[in-house]
Amino acid sequence: MKKYALLLVLLFQLANATEKDSLNTINPFTKYHSFLEEEDFCDACGCSASGGSMGFASMLNSNFVGIRYFNQQYKSMDGLYSNSPWYKENFNTVQVWGRIPVSEKVQVSALLPYHFHERETATGDKSISGIGDITVLAMYRLYQTHKDSTFLVHTLQLGGGIKAPTGKFNEANSGSINPSFQVGTGSWDYLLATEYIVKRKQFGLNSMLNYVIKTENQKSYRFGNQLNYAGTFFYLYEKNSFSIVPQLGFAGEVYESNCQYNQKLRNTSGDILFGKVGFEVGKDRLSFGANAMLPINQNLTGGNVEANYRWSVNLNYSL
């Protein structure tokens, strides 16, 4: 069903894409500007902690190198009864990330995360830390309108990538209430992404859809495939070398069941819908961004895990 949904949205975007304009002001943030906040996978892993809607690119500087920190807060229920205790979980990630053009229509993004997670348990607090899984993604600009050619201007991009198992997978943690308490999946995973942007002067809407295909790791464990989607309204204000982009939108993630030894594991699938708000501000070649996400509706691991909120900050240098 999720594969059909991905195909339908892709066909809709192809049918409606007609292209985007360029900006006249000389600004390092708009030289290659494409209003990107797509490819929403952040390399925590598994069901509720994938961070799939935190974003993979900057809204201001499409070609950049930088560093980002993001935090995810969860709670999980330890027990089968309504009065079973709930325990807090705190997921933290620091990422070195960047996006580099390799041709006029192709850009390659890469990120290297470091995770440090904490959780409460009945026997005391527990923590894990380490380098996560490296992700590399290439995006191809399939269609783009000419400057001022239409009332509305459009951009359509398609892409794909790979996630390498550079993070450690702990088999003991996979059997816990929240199997996402990991720094890596231990598997090679594959990414398919599409993004469509419609814009009128300084106002615009960015919509994205991507699908993560996850494979079995050496411990015969496979996290479920993941569908991510988002829509973000934005407004670009710029004057000389100063730019600011406030943002408001929604984002969602849908997870299939995890498997072990080719058997589906109960209460490992789920879905969540977030509302999100944020901004990015840039001066000369430096930019700073922040965003926050609150759940609107969720059903994670059969109701045994609840997401509280997510937030992130980033500092980038425009290339």
Side-chain angles (χ1 to χ4, degrees):
M1 182 66 183
K2 300 180 184 65
K3 295 180 180 178
Y4 293 139
L6 176 64
L7 180 60
L8 287 173
V9 174
L10 178 58
L11 290 174
F12 173 80
Q13 292 180 341
L14 285 169
N16 286 277
T18 58
E19 205 186 299
K20 133 178 168 222
D21 61 358
S22 60
L23 299 171
N24 293 325
T25 49
I26 301 173
N27 189 322
F29 300 115
T30 55
K31 183 178 180 181
Y32 302 104
H33 202 291
S34 50
F35 294 107
L36 297 173
E37 191 181 61
E38 77 265 17
E39 301 88 22
D40 293 337
F41 15 80
C42 289
D43 189 67
C45 45
C47 181
S48 63
S50 67
S53 300
M54 294 296 289
F56 194 69
S58 168
M59 291 284 280
L60 266 181
N61 37 1
S62 59
N63 300 319
F64 67 95
V65 292
I67 189 168
R68 173 170 67 166
Y69 165 80
F70 65 90
N71 175 270
Q72 304 175 74
Q73 295 287 330
Y74 297 89
K75 61 179 182 179
S76 58
M77 184 173 66
D78 187 9
L80 301 176
Y81 305 104
S82 59
N83 62 347
S84 297
W86 287 83
Y87 294 107
K88 294 180 181 179
E89 298 178 325
N90 181 22
F91 289 69
N92 303 276
T93 300
V94 175
Q95 290 178 340
V96 176
W97 62 336
R99 189 179 183 95
I100 300 173
V102 296
S103 72
E104 183 182 355
K105 293 186 177 182
V106 178
Q107 294 175 316
V108 174
S109 299
L111 63 86
L112 172 62
Y114 182 87
H115 302 294
F116 47 107
H117 304 330
E118 301 170 344
R119 76 188 326 177
E120 297 176 347
T121 72
T123 56
D125 295 346
K126 183 178 180 181
S127 62
I128 57 173
S129 62
I131 293 175
D133 295 338
I134 295 175
T135 300
V136 178
L137 178 86
M139 292 295 289
Y140 175 77
R141 192 176 70 236
L142 184 66
Y143 202 83
Q144 182 174 342
T145 50
H146 296 290
K147 177 183 176 182
D148 299 329
S149 61
T150 59
F151 180 78
L152 293 173
V153 290
H154 313 260
T155 300
L156 176 66
Q157 294 194 115
L158 302 176
I162 191 168
K163 183 179 70 61
T166 51
K168 181 181 179 181
F169 171 80
N170 189 328
E171 187 176 10
N173 290 338
S174 67
S176 62
I177 296 171
N178 188 349
S180 300
F181 192 70
Q182 304 280 353
V183 297
T185 62
S187 63
W188 290 90
D189 300 336
Y190 305 97
L191 319 170
L192 301 173
T194 178
E195 180 205 36
Y196 171 64
I197 304 163
V198 58
K199 181 171 171 282
R200 171 61 180 166
K201 295 184 177 180
Q202 267 56 53
F203 290 91
L205 170 65
N206 177 303
S207 62
M208 78 86 198
L209 185 70
N210 67 66
Y211 192 69
V212 186
I213 302 169
K214 303 178 183 180
T215 67
E216 187 175 86
N217 61 28
Q218 293 182 346
K219 301 295 185 179
S220 299
Y221 194 95
R222 182 176 69 83
F223 287 95
N225 293 347
Q226 179 177 334
L227 176 71
N228 303 307
Y229 59 91
T232 304
F233 294 94
F234 61 84
Y235 174 80
L236 172 67
Y237 171 83
E238 56 184 354
K239 185 175 182 181
N240 300 325
S241 61
F242 174 80
S243 301
I244 185 168
V245 182
Q247 306 156 34
L248 181 67
F250 65 91
E253 303 162 6
V254 181
Y255 312 94
E256 297 179 5
S257 296
N258 300 347
C259 296
Q260 192 164 29
Y261 301 108
N262 293 320
Q263 299 295 317
K264 287 187 177 181
L265 300 176
R266 294 179 63 247
N267 294 331
T268 55
S269 62
D271 60 85
I272 186 167
L273 174 65
F274 288 97
K276 63 178 183 178
V277 62
F279 70 90
E280 283 193 76
V281 58
K283 181 74 167 73
D284 296 325
R285 291 191 175 274
L286 289 177
S287 68
F288 172 82
N291 89 37
M293 302 173 65
L294 290 174
I296 298 172
N297 184 64
Q298 60 181 302
N299 179 24
L300 302 174
T301 65
N304 294 320
V305 174
E306 290 187 4
N308 292 329
Y309 57 84
R310 298 175 182 172
W311 63 274
S312 70
V313 293
N314 63 267
L315 181 65
N316 296 335
Y317 179 80
S318 179
L319 300 177

